Amino acid sequence: QAQLVESGGSSVQAGGSLRLSCVVSGVSYTYNCVAWFRQVPGKEREGVASMHTTGGVFTYYADSVKGRFTISQDDAKNTAYLQMNSLKPEDTAMYYCAADFRYGGYCDRWDRYDNWGQGTQVTVST
């Protein structure tokens, strides 16, 4: 059973930057897909970025974060990152990391993820 632990959430002013980290442990093999989601109380969870990591690296971003957020990982493929620049108040949410170790399919199919972290809070003030 994989464990995912996020960190890096904080309170920042609009226009600022944060980098979220997600350490994946508990398994001896690498994930095929890793993604970041966010959720605001009372709203559905939103997929914001995903990365396909095997047989080439492919990334996908939601329109709301395209050009501002960047998903990446370290060479050992056990830590994923979400660099968030030009933050806006509407980016305020709990951010979750998720991974899927199964091969095949598209990593921006948001319902495929079955391994989740506990979340890290990002708050952006005006």
Side-chain angles (χ1 to χ4, degrees), residues 32-33 100 102-107 109-114:
N32 180 49
C33 297
D100 185 355
R102 297 166 294 185
Y103 284 70
Y106 294 100
C107 296
R109 202 191 85 208
W110 304 120
D111 62 350
R112 68 177 293 156
Y113 291 89
D114 54 357

Side-chain angles (χ1 to χ4, degrees), residues 58-72:
F58 304 97
T59 58
Y60 172 84
Y61 298 94
D63 288 343
S64 57
V65 306
K66 199 172 294 182
R68 301 187 298 121
F69 290 11
T70 303
I71 187 171
S72 64

Side-chain angles (χ1 to χ4, degrees), residues 69-113:
F69 290 11
T70 303
I71 187 171
S72 64
Q73 63 178 2
D74 67 2
D75 290 341
K77 296 184 179 180
N78 66 341
T79 302
Y81 303 98
L82 185 68
Q83 178 67 43
M84 305 186 295
N85 298 327
S86 302
L87 282 162
K88 304 175 181 180
E90 51 264 43
D91 294 319
T92 295
M94 183 73 78
Y95 282 73
Y96 297 91
C97 173
D100 185 355
F101 295 84
R102 297 166 294 185
Y103 284 70
Y106 294 100
C107 296
D108 60 337
R109 202 191 85 208
W110 304 120
D111 62 350
R112 68 177 293 156
Y113 291 89

